[in-house]
């Protein structure tokens, strides 16, 4: 593949300050909410990753005016009733968040739409969203009874539901809440394990009257959202790669500012603390719609740990890089209750275990996670990213501690969430 990279770092250390790019989940939602709301929504700190650009592209095809100037985005809309029926298929690329949240949004319009994405999206389960939406009256067709893209949606009047989530998924929760905006009655979503709550926070920011208590979200349909300003913090899931790099690369000290530390996302901070990382987290403003912090991390002596239960949804996207971290910790790290990893951009249990084994890690897959014994000195190898940005970045961080070069087959996919990833690695190497 054209974007194969050979990474050969000799005794590197990482030092300096970086500002990681905007949060992917919040960037998607800022465009979606801006398109649903009445008026001009302004966004700063937007992530110019491929996934978020797919969301912008879909809304442009619905006739919404969106201007992008650097990381500032303006969305001008007169509300959902003014959207146009698109003549083309809406292409969601590699983005599960775009596909699943759009399914909820589009179900309550008056429009016929068709959505499809890339090969990875074509394998990801959509019934987990389509089924509750069908309970609301949505008309959704797709391969295997709506399980897979391409999906065709005939918008219709929806009815509110009271839904207990079978899996911890912010994408499913958000799709139902966004459909609930147009539904008759009060939509209620109940979570056993709380997933990321950016949708709930943003609904409030856009003026909705919504109640959240003890894992139960409820709000009345028919509320009109009003345009506002959204300040997107840095993505903790991107910062995660440098939190781990700072901890495992010798003689390193990395400072990251403006990192989003929403408690539903900050599980990695808890795990690093538990493993003994040399890290300082200074929260900037806890009262902001999305809290942020400056995080400093230095080379650390780490102990293995167990990662399980309700912390899993709080760090689900960080598990590939936490697995690499665990190869450098003393003792055993057990990751369990994480079967959701199998339905991410690729099967991340298989991908992580296969690729880290190539580097000499002592790691085995389990049904719902993995077990890692450390510490192990890693060696070079030829790795596959499986077109998954987070597997590609895990391999690139491993190259900083491997004793010989690491080749990664497809690194273009890293642009899905972190287009400036290698610039940041290089800037930290120079100091
Ligand atoms: C996301 C939710 C999570 C996460 C994904 C982004 C979101 O997925 O893994 O990267 O923005 O709502 P699930 O809802 O499938 O857990």
């Amino acid at each position: 593949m054209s974007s194969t990279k050979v990474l050969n770092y000799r005794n590197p250390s990482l030092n300096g300050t970086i500002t990681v790019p905007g949060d992917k989940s919040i960037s998607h939602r800022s465009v979606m909410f801006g398109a649903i709301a009445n008026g001009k929504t302004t966004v700063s700190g937007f992530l110019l990753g491929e996934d978020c650009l797919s969301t912008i592209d879909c809304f442009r095809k619905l006739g919404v005016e969106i201007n992008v100037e650097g990381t500032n985005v303006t969305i001008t809309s007169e509300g959902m009733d003014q959207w146009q029926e698109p003549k083309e298929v809406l292409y969601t690329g590699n983005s599960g968040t775009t596909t699943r949240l759009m399914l909820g949004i589009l179900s309550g319009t008056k429009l016929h739409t068709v959505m499809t994405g890339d090969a990875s999206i074509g394998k990801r389960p959509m019934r987990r969203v389509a089924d509750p939406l069908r309970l609301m009256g949505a008309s959704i067709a797709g391969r295997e009874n709506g399980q897979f893209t391409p999906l065709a949606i005939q918008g219709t009047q929806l009815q509110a539901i009271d839904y207990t989530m079978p899996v911890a998924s912010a994408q499913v929760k958000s799709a139902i809440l966004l459909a609930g905006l147009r539904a008759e009655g009060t939509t209620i979503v109940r979570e056993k394990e709380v997933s990321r709550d950016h949708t709930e926070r943003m609904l409030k920011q856009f003026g909705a009257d919504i109640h959240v208590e003890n894992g139960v979200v409820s709000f009345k349909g028919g509320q009109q959202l009003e345009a506002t300003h959204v300040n997107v913090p840095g993505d903790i899931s991107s910062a995660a790669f440098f939190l781990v790099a700072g901890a495992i690369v010798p003689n390193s000290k990395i400072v990251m500012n403006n990192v989003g530390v929403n408690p539903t996302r900050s599980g990695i901070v808890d795990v690093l603390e538990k493993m003994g990382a040399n890290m300082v987290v200074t929260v900037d403003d806890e009262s902001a719609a999305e809290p942020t912090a400056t995080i400093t991390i230095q080379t650390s002596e780490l102990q293995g740990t167990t990662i399980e239960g309700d912390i899993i949804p709080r760090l689900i996207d960080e598990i590939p890089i936490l697995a690499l971290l665990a190869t450098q910790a003393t003792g055993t790290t057990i990751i369990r209750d994480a079967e959701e990893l199998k339905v991410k951009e690729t099967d991340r249990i298989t991908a992580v275990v296969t690729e880290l084994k190539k580097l000499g890690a002592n790691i085995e897959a389990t049904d719902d996670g993995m077990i890692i014994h450390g510490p192990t000195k890693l060696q070079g190898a030829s790795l596959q990213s499986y077109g998954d940005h987070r597997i590609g970045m895990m391999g690139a961080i491993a190259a900083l501690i491997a004793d010989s070069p690491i080749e990664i087959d497809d690194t273009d996919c890293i642009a899905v969430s972190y287009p400036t990833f290698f610039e940041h690695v290089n800037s930290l190497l120079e100091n």
Side-chain angles (χ1 to χ4, degrees):
M1 227 168 271
S2 59
S3 65
T4 298
K5 262 195 202 299
V6 179
L7 300 169
N8 185 10
Y9 302 112
R10 284 165 191 274
N11 300 320
S13 64
L14 300 173
N15 285 283
T17 302
I18 53 171
T19 304
V20 297
D23 186 277
K24 182 156 75 70
S25 292
I26 301 171
S27 295
H28 281 302
R29 286 162 172 81
S30 69
V31 171
M32 294 174 180
F33 280 72
I36 294 169
N38 217 334
K40 194 184 219 178
T41 291
T42 51
V43 184
S44 56
F46 188 82
L47 169 65
L48 297 166
E50 280 168 9
D51 269 12
C52 301
L53 297 177
S54 293
T55 296
I56 289 184
D57 187 55
C58 289
F59 280 101
R60 283 185 173 150
K61 287 195 177 122
L62 288 161
V64 178
E65 191 189 320
I66 303 174
N67 285 305
V68 181
E69 272 184 47
T71 59
N72 293 322
V73 176
T74 309
I75 305 115
T76 311
S77 179
E78 288 168 30
M80 291 169 84
D81 286 327
Q82 302 308 315
W83 295 355
Q84 295 155 18
E85 200 160 53
K87 293 189 188 75
E88 291 165 77
V89 169
L90 303 179
Y91 184 69
T92 60
N94 191 243
S95 178
T97 305
T98 311
T99 314
R100 295 198 175 114
L101 271 58
M102 293 291 292
L103 203 52
I105 295 170
L106 293 168
S107 291
T109 63
K110 295 186 179 123
L111 313 172
H112 167 75
T113 46
V114 179
M115 261 195 309
T116 199
D118 69 5
S120 157
I121 280 295
K123 292 186 209 146
R124 298 185 67 185
M126 295 297 156
R127 284 271 302 273
R128 52 175 56 199
V129 186
D131 283 348
L133 292 174
R134 283 168 170 166
L135 292 175
M136 299 176 84
S139 167
I140 297 165
R143 284 184 297 132
E144 296 188 25
N145 190 20
Q147 178 69 317
F148 299 114
T149 55
L151 296 162
I153 305 119
Q154 180 56 59
T156 187
Q157 177 60 54
L158 302 175
Q159 305 300 321
I161 49 166
D162 181 336
Y163 191 71
T164 301
M165 298 275 298
V167 284
S169 164
Q171 292 177 355
V172 177
K173 172 176 66 177
S174 301
I176 300 169
L177 294 177
L178 289 163
L181 272 176
R182 304 278 281 190
E184 283 172 352
T186 299
T187 294
I188 303 174
V189 180
R190 301 171 195 271
E191 291 189 291
K192 284 174 231 143
E193 285 166 345
V194 176
S195 63
R196 63 191 68 191
D197 66 355
H198 305 302
T199 298
E200 296 89 307
R201 285 174 187 250
M202 210 177 275
L203 276 167
K204 284 185 193 152
Q205 241 186 306
F206 278 76
D209 183 16
I210 153 172
H211 304 277
V212 185
E213 216 180 313
N214 301 328
V216 182
V217 187
S218 62
F219 76 103
K220 271 204 188 113
Q223 300 186 45
Q224 176 62 51
L225 301 185
E226 292 305 327
T228 187
H229 177 72
V230 179
N231 186 16
V232 181
D235 197 327
I236 192 164
S237 300
S238 297
F241 294 94
F242 291 100
L243 288 172
V244 168
I248 64 177
V249 176
N251 304 314
S252 296
K253 181 175 179 182
I254 303 175
V255 181
M256 280 173 273
N257 48 45
N258 194 38
V259 181
V261 286
N262 176 323
T264 61
R265 292 285 301 284
S266 59
I268 186 170
V269 169
D270 299 1
V271 168
L272 281 164
E273 267 165 9
K274 206 167 138 206
M275 293 177 81
N278 193 346
M279 177 183 63
V280 179
V281 180
T282 311
V283 176
D284 304 320
D285 177 8
E286 220 142 357
S287 68
E290 290 282 353
T292 56
T294 297
I295 309 184
T296 305
I297 186 124
Q298 298 187 56
T299 313
S300 308
E301 291 283 327
L302 302 161
Q303 301 300 318
T305 188
T306 298
I307 307 172
E308 63 182 347
D310 56 10
I311 200 170
I312 295 292
R314 299 178 53 227
L315 49 64
I316 188 75
D317 292 339
E318 287 65 79
I319 291 178
I321 195 65
L322 283 172
L324 174 67
L325 178 79
T327 68
Q328 302 308 300
T330 302
T332 301
T333 294
I334 300 171
I335 300 171
R336 57 165 83 101
D337 304 323
E339 50 275 270
E340 273 296 298
L341 291 173
K342 293 180 184 166
V343 289
K344 294 295 176 189
E345 284 80 335
T346 188
D347 173 348
R348 285 185 177 158
I349 295 181
T350 305
V352 166
V353 172
T354 307
E355 299 313 299
L356 289 181
K357 263 192 182 154
K358 289 181 189 166
L359 302 177
N362 186 344
I363 180 168
E364 60 194 88
T366 61
D367 279 350
D368 64 350
M370 53 197 87
I371 300 174
I372 304 133
H373 303 283
T376 331
K377 181 77 196 145
L378 300 185
Q379 71 215 20
S382 188
L383 300 183
Q384 267 181 275
S385 70
Y386 306 86
D388 181 333
H389 52 133
R390 301 203 197 279
I391 304 295
M393 287 188 275
M394 178 195 76
I397 298 296
L400 292 161
I401 55 164
D403 62 9
S404 49
I406 287 185
E407 182 182 282
I408 307 171
D409 69 339
D410 167 15
T411 54
D412 275 355
C413 61
I414 292 172
V416 156
S417 64
Y418 203 157
T420 53
F421 173 76
F422 284 108
E423 281 165 45
H424 284 180
V425 173
N426 292 336
S427 81
L428 292 167
L429 285 170
E430 277 161 17
N431 293 306

